[in-house]
Amino acid sequence: MSENLPPQHTPASPPPVPSPPVPNPPVPNPYAQAPYAQGAYAQSPYVGQQTAQVPQVSQAPQVSQAPQATGSYAQAPQAALGPYGSPWPATPHPAPAAPATSAPRTKSLGLIALLIAAGGIGLAVILAGIAGARIGEPFLMAAENSGPDGALDLAYFSGVRGWVLLGEVAFWLGTITGIWALVQGIIALVQGRGRGAAIGAVIIAILGPALFFVVLVLAMALGYAATA
């Protein structure tokens, strides 16, 4: 009888229910750039710290720089650069002062020296000529009758004492005026106050003594020749 029984069907087991997928924990990237925190002292998370991955936020727009305050600490305006790009400003140099113009020097100093030389020495030479013509004969007579020592006998000049005195005055007049004109002429020549006149005064003062004695001797010779 068992052979005639129909085969028994075993009920099928229900299909297995799929389990929900388990999400894998996020693995932190050690080379990921830490997000910028907006706080002044915000600390970025350490690499390797087991934290949940934070989505990267977009960078905040840059805030325009606030204008600088104009208080006591305000920055001074930058000075102009010196020459050749030097940070030191160029030092202004004062303009050279104009040379002081001295007052024009007059030519009176040299002119006065020339007048003294020409007038004093000229007058001395004229007086020497006049006196020499008067004392020429007594002088030659005293020279011929001189003693053994060559001394002149002054007795021969007793009649011409006034002319002898005039000759002495002429000699000292020429000496004083010649020295004066020579010194003043040199000063005028050095200072440039009438150099032409100063040169003339110096020449006359140097040649004055020689001219004096030449005129005196010639006048004495002519005076002796006139009375002989």
Side-chain angles (χ1 to χ4, degrees):
M1 291 186 65
S2 61
E3 293 177 0
N4 294 326
L5 290 179
Q8 296 179 358
H9 296 281
T10 304
S13 62
V17 179
S19 61
V22 179
N24 295 327
V27 179
N29 188 4
Y31 299 101
Q33 184 177 4
Y36 293 97
Q38 296 183 358
Y41 300 97
Q43 184 177 4
S44 58
Y46 295 101
V47 178
Q49 186 177 1
Q50 299 297 327
T51 56
Q53 187 175 2
V54 180
Q56 185 176 0
V57 296
S58 61
Q59 186 176 1
Q62 295 182 357
V63 182
S64 60
Q65 187 176 3
Q68 296 181 356
T70 59
S72 58
Y73 297 98
Q75 184 177 2
Q78 185 177 2
L81 297 179
Y84 305 104
S86 175
W88 304 104
T91 304
H93 296 281
T101 56
S102 58
R105 297 182 178 182
T106 60
K107 301 180 180 180
S108 59
L109 189 62
L111 183 60
I112 293 174
L114 179 60
L115 294 177
I116 291 174
I121 296 178
L123 180 60
V125 170
I126 294 173
L127 295 179
I130 296 173
R134 298 297 180 176
I135 65 177
E137 181 182 3
F139 179 79
L140 292 177
M141 293 177 62
E144 292 176 355
N145 299 318
S146 61
D149 55 353
L152 298 177
D153 188 1
L154 298 181
Y156 292 98
F157 298 98
S158 59
V160 292
R161 290 179 179 177
W163 299 110
V164 172
L165 182 60
L166 181 63
E168 292 180 356
V169 171
F171 172 78
W172 288 111
L173 177 63
T175 301
I176 293 173
T177 54
I179 295 175
W180 186 353
L182 179 63
V183 174
Q184 185 170 341
I186 293 175
I187 295 175
L189 186 61
V190 171
Q191 295 182 355
R193 300 173 62 181
R195 291 185 176 179
I199 293 174
V202 171
I203 294 175
I204 295 175
I206 293 175
L207 299 179
L211 181 63
F212 177 88
F213 285 106
V214 168
V215 172
L216 179 61
V217 172
L218 290 177
M220 291 173 65
L222 294 175
Y224 177 77
T227 58

